[in-house]
Amino acid sequence: YGNFIDDLRLYVRGGTGGMGYPRLGGEGGRGGDVWFVARERTTLKSIRDRYPQKRFVAGTGANSSVKALKGEKGKDCEVHVPLGISVLCDDGKQIGELNAAGERFLAARGGLGGSLATNFMPCKGQRRTVRLDLKLIADVGLVGFPNAGKSSLLSKISHAKPEIANYAFTTIQPELGKIMYADYKQISVADLPGLIEGAHANKGMGHKFLKHVERTKQLLLVVDISGFQLSIKTQFRTAFETILLLTKELELYKEELITKPALLAINKMDLPCAKDNLNELMKQLQNPQHFLHLLQEEMIPANTLEFRDIIPISTYTGEGIEELKACVRKSVDEEAEQENEEYRKKKLLLLQTSE
């Protein structure tokens, strides 16, 4: 995975309370709390580099004294975390998530100060080990088998500069790019490590890849028109089979992924025979049921993906790239409009019911 980190374990401990003052009934201050605060331009790597111990402890509450019968609260400890973080307990149960800048999550509560109720003895703060799990948030997620040309596409449509090489796992870490439009609108696109058959069962980088797909609003499948073969030992798959296999992997990991709006980019149209292959593929996509017999039963998805647009492209010659950018924009705008419409209807319904 190179330098990219998408989960990190941290030890957090709330501060201990301050001592009470039995003779005058004074109360010690509460211990400080540990907070996770979502901040843009923060990465899990930067947290690990800045705090190699990965321990975060809040301040101790002040003791009660003759001068101040109510002790002051201990200093809070704030940890800046990236957006798109899920906070998990040690047993893997999710206890919180932070998706927008400024959101806060109480990771460890400080202990109570000494008072009459506690016989003037202070309490210790909450302590636990938590795991921060990052899922990239992007408008569009590029989905495809290795070598389909996802990285090349990302570098063509955005300012991202992913490292591109010619071997099975070309992308080893997620890359985020932004498509910039003439009217200054920006759409974020995530290129995620290549799926392989069996990814849902965590083969290859299975879950490390698939969890990032969950947070993207739309899917853009990138398929090589000439088909795909991972290695000499594995079977060759045509473009049609590749689409069904990708659908199956997404479905087996989480069925909701299939309900996301999807576009299909058919890459490498500069290759010889690409036009014939495309005609064949379009026939198959129009009536997928007629061609399912070509596949083994375990490879057939329960539901097929409905593509809003199918765009033939070539990242080598630049063919279809502008059309693809326009389709992505149209699809994202339509989806946003639909969400706004639903939100307006909900508001209207609430107003009507309250009246």
Side-chain angles (χ1 to χ4, degrees):
Y1 241 151
N3 283 331
F4 184 83
I5 300 174
D6 57 7
D7 62 23
L8 193 63
R9 284 184 74 204
L10 306 175
Y11 172 78
V12 288
R13 193 178 86 210
T16 308
M19 292 288 286
Y21 202 113
R23 204 158 48 115
L24 298 173
E27 267 185 40
R30 258 195 61 204
D33 304 318
V34 180
W35 290 89
F36 292 150
V37 185
R39 211 25 105 72
E40 285 179 6
R41 295 193 182 86
T42 306
T43 62
L44 291 181
K45 185 177 184 296
S46 66
I47 299 173
R48 193 190 64 178
D49 292 348
R50 269 188 78 178
Y51 308 100
Q53 301 288 316
K54 295 184 285 195
R55 287 170 63 87
F56 297 92
V57 181
T60 308
N63 295 335
S64 170
S65 64
V66 178
K67 287 180 187 166
L69 286 177
K70 180 109 178 76
E72 283 210 359
K73 183 176 182 281
K75 194 168 182 287
D76 285 352
C77 169
E78 284 196 354
V79 187
H80 293 152
V81 299
L83 313 185
I85 282 284
S86 301
V87 187
L88 310 173
C89 281
D90 235 4
D91 59 2
K93 188 166 157 271
Q94 185 172 319
I95 50 176
E97 59 179 5
L98 300 153
N99 292 325
E103 281 188 6
R104 299 164 68 82
F105 173 76
L106 181 59
R109 196 180 287 281
L112 293 171
S115 63
L116 186 63
T118 63
N119 209 6
F120 299 100
M121 295 304 288
C123 302
K124 286 185 173 174
Q126 187 182 11
R127 57 178 74 198
R128 58 182 170 188
T129 304
V130 293
R131 206 175 96 225
L132 301 183
D133 196 30
L134 173 71
K135 291 174 184 170
L136 287 181
I137 300 176
D139 297 314
V140 180
L142 298 182
V143 179
F145 283 133
N147 273 334
K150 298 191 306 301
S151 299
S152 308
L153 178 60
L154 187 69
S155 59
K156 267 273 190 293
I157 59 176
S158 75
H159 298 296
K161 292 182 173 58
E163 283 181 34
I164 301 164
N166 190 23
Y167 48 89
F169 270 116
T170 31
T171 309
I172 52 168
Q173 62 186 47
E175 286 278 350
L176 261 181
K178 274 193 165 59
I179 310 180
M180 314 285 272
Y181 290 91
D183 61 354
Y184 301 107
K185 172 152 175 101
Q186 299 182 6
I187 289 178
S188 56
V189 181
D191 168 27
L192 307 156
L195 273 170
I196 59 168
E197 284 178 50
H200 69 275
N202 215 6
K203 274 190 189 165
M205 292 184 178
H207 291 180
K208 268 190 183 292
F209 162 86
L210 286 161
K211 73 171 189 186
H212 291 299
V213 181
E214 287 177 53
R215 286 284 172 98
T216 55
K217 293 177 190 161
Q218 307 210 354
L219 305 178
L220 173 55
L221 267 70
V222 185
V223 171
D224 185 336
I225 187 61
S226 56
F228 166 72
Q229 188 171 16
L230 186 67
S231 69
I232 307 159
K233 292 176 189 167
T234 58
Q235 209 174 327
F236 173 79
R237 304 287 184 206
T238 63
F240 177 66
E241 289 174 342
T242 306
I243 293 164
L244 292 182
L245 276 170
L246 286 170
T247 310
K248 183 76 172 169
E249 289 303 332
L250 294 171
E251 187 179 76
L252 287 170
Y253 177 71
K254 222 175 221 179
E255 270 182 53
E256 301 93 88
L257 295 181
I258 302 299
T259 61
K260 286 180 187 278
L263 299 168
L264 174 63
I266 300 163
N267 193 15
K268 306 194 183 176
M269 287 305 294
D270 52 283
L271 296 175
C273 303
K275 291 272 187 292
D276 298 341
N277 290 346
L278 180 65
N279 294 336
E280 181 68 20
L281 177 61
M282 294 309 265
K283 266 188 235 158
Q284 291 169 324
L285 287 173
Q286 271 158 7
N287 298 302
Q289 277 68 33
H290 297 178
F291 298 94
L292 293 181
H293 64 271
L294 301 170
L295 288 163
Q296 293 137 342
E297 208 165 306
E298 65 271 13
M299 286 164 53
I300 300 167
N303 299 294
T304 47
L305 269 172
E306 294 289 325
F307 296 111
R308 291 187 168 195
D309 277 303
I310 297 173
I311 311 104
I313 61 164
S314 164
T315 51
Y316 184 67
T317 62
E319 177 197 335
I321 297 293
E322 288 307 312
E323 191 194 335
L324 176 66
K325 282 160 78 168
C327 288
V328 168
R329 168 81 185 259
K330 185 167 144 253
S331 184
V332 168
D333 287 352
E334 277 173 9
E335 199 58 26
E337 188 50 48
Q338 212 173 320
E339 275 176 26
N340 289 342
E341 194 55 44
E342 279 167 21
Y343 178 70
R344 283 198 288 269
K345 278 180 188 164
K346 265 187 199 165
K347 277 278 191 211
L348 204 63
L349 206 68
L350 279 169
L351 281 167
Q352 286 165 350
T353 49
S354 60
E355 281 168 9

